Amino acid sequence: MKKIISLMAILVLFAACKKDSESSEKKEIFGRTVIVYMSGENNLDQLGVLDQDLLEMRRASKQIPASDRLVVYVDRLSRSETPFIAEIKNAACDTIMHYANDFYSSDPEHFYNVIKTIEEKYPSQEYALVLWGHATSWLVDKDTVASATAKARQQRRAYGQDCGDNTIYGPEKWLNITQMHRELAKLPKFSYIFADCCCMMSVETAYELRNVTDYLIGSPAEIPGDGAPYDKIMDELFSRNTTFYQSIIDKYYDYYMELYRTPEYANSTYDSYLTGYSVPLSVVDMKHIGELAQSTRNLLKEPGEYTFEQVPYYFHMDLPVCYDMACLLEANSTAEEFETWKRAFDLAVPYRRLSDRWMTIYDEIQLSQVNKGFVFNKDNYGGLSMFVPRSIYDSSYWFIYNAALPSFEWSQAVGWNRFGY
């Protein structure tokens, strides 16, 4: 009997130890983990922007709530350092893993695997995603494919330019927005996606991402090379306020408004035109983007009937593209039609800040800004771009716009196929 009792006691003790061991190995569940995907194997690292933004994050990291985490994925323009994942906290950047080999950060599979790895290491109640790098709105021809010719490389655009062999002249690849959606759809839905890259606030992009995030925040236009002031917006990246996006936009906007008044810009031969201006910014609330699609569908007409005179646009290679959605539809609708449509638009785009000048590499856009070739104001500015398919785009040297449009769900939702597109 004593042996049986002793055996039972040992079993009970073993079970208790096993339970304690399992409990101690259970991962902590964080509140919110903000993932910054830094696709920097391009000139942004060469120019020092990547290191500057990491420094800003480190400086502000003491503001991060104890239950939250800030985790960065970094791909540099470096042949000596492979991509790595690090946690930023207490003013330090602690690397938690280095990848064995370099790879294209713009490759859809790697894009997914990086984010999935971070989520597994940091199980959280919610996640947010910052897209850091280069972008060109939704504009893309085919899926991500490296090419030896400059023309073909340029056609494969959207997000995350990666120059491949760690020189800015490498065989670059970009991530198509439709690919991005497919990969993000495999992951938990994000509280927000903050696009700290150029021209991501297009309705085609927003609608494609509607099921993977609650909010999309960014600019319809080019953003300055330095991007977001992370030391100014750190609190807002972790805020649970219902209008958190307003604070992100305001601090981003106000930062450049002040910066462009400094002598470095105000006395510059090239940049002085920016004094008194900032960066166009906006947010899309995905709860209402379906209503915007339906309202837009009701308003669309034959593309050849549209006028584009003095309507602001945000992108230009050989042709102007990415027209401001609200400005365009106001110019091509009756006052009653536009008022009905704008009610749906204001729900989908609940906050935006107008700057009718912004830093641009395109001479055509800068001249239109300075010579008042664009006509818009706070009442008709939308902060979200839209593409209207037209025959002129068939002759573009850089992109096959019309051929790419039907692959986007926005095109199906608003029915561009009614007009042969």
Side-chain angles (χ1 to χ4, degrees), residues 241-380:
N241 291 337
T242 55
T243 57
F244 74 98
Y245 50 77
Q246 181 173 328
S247 297
I248 292 176
I249 289 172
D250 285 345
K251 289 190 176 183
Y252 196 146
Y253 187 95
D254 293 344
Y255 171 78
Y256 279 102
M257 179 69 77
E258 292 302 316
L259 182 65
Y260 289 160
R261 289 193 175 106
T262 62
E264 177 185 356
Y265 288 90
N267 298 335
S268 167
T269 301
Y270 186 76
D271 294 327
S272 60
Y273 77 101
L274 295 169
T275 303
Y277 298 90
S278 183
V279 183
L281 294 162
S282 63
V283 59
V284 172
D285 183 342
M286 298 302 184
K287 291 194 302 294
H288 299 289
I289 199 165
E291 299 165 55
L292 176 61
Q294 183 58 53
S295 186
T296 304
R297 183 184 184 94
N298 296 339
L299 203 60
L300 289 190
K301 55 188 178 183
E302 169 62 47
E305 297 177 11
Y306 282 84
T307 177
F308 297 87
E309 185 177 358
Q310 294 190 304
V311 176
Y313 56 87
Y314 299 110
F315 192 82
H316 192 294
M317 292 294 278
D318 53 350
L319 293 166
V321 72
C322 295
Y323 286 88
D324 187 90
M325 186 180 193
C327 293
L328 178 66
L329 293 181
E330 183 194 44
N332 289 277
S333 310
T334 67
E336 183 179 358
E337 288 172 337
F338 183 71
E339 183 180 353
T340 299
W341 175 85
K342 196 166 182 293
R343 284 196 289 270
F345 183 82
D346 288 340
L347 289 173
V349 187
Y351 194 69
R352 48 202 183 267
R353 292 289 299 271
L354 164 68
S355 177
D356 50 14
R357 293 187 189 181
W358 58 88
M359 184 175 287
T360 178
I361 64 171
Y362 302 110
D363 291 340
E364 296 84 356
I365 292 179
Q366 183 176 332
L367 287 173
S368 292
Q369 294 172 358
V370 173
N371 298 329
K372 299 190 182 302
F374 293 155
V375 175
F376 59 147
N377 53 59
K378 63 181 180 61
D379 295 321
N380 70 358

Side-chain angles (χ1 to χ4, degrees), residues 390-410:
R390 294 182 286 160
S391 58
I392 64 165
Y393 293 120
D394 290 332
S395 61
S396 172
Y397 178 82
W398 296 103
F399 299 99
I400 305 179
Y401 302 95
N402 295 333
L405 184 63
S407 65
F408 284 80
E409 294 182 0
W410 172 258

Side-chain angles (χ1 to χ4, degrees), residues 130-179:
V130 178
L131 296 172
W132 188 102
H134 283 303
T136 55
S137 189
W138 63 275
L139 306 177
V140 62
D141 177 27
K142 298 179 180 178
D143 285 351
T144 309
V145 177
S147 172
T149 65
K151 178 181 176 182
R153 286 205 306 271
Q154 294 289 352
Q155 288 175 346
R156 285 126 175 92
R157 290 193 177 219
Y159 164 72
Q161 180 197 33
D162 189 322
C163 291
D165 65 357
N166 284 294
T167 73
I168 60 171
Y169 307 106
E172 68 191 47
K173 291 185 181 183
W174 300 66
L175 179 62
N176 188 336
I177 298 301
T178 57
Q179 293 173 318

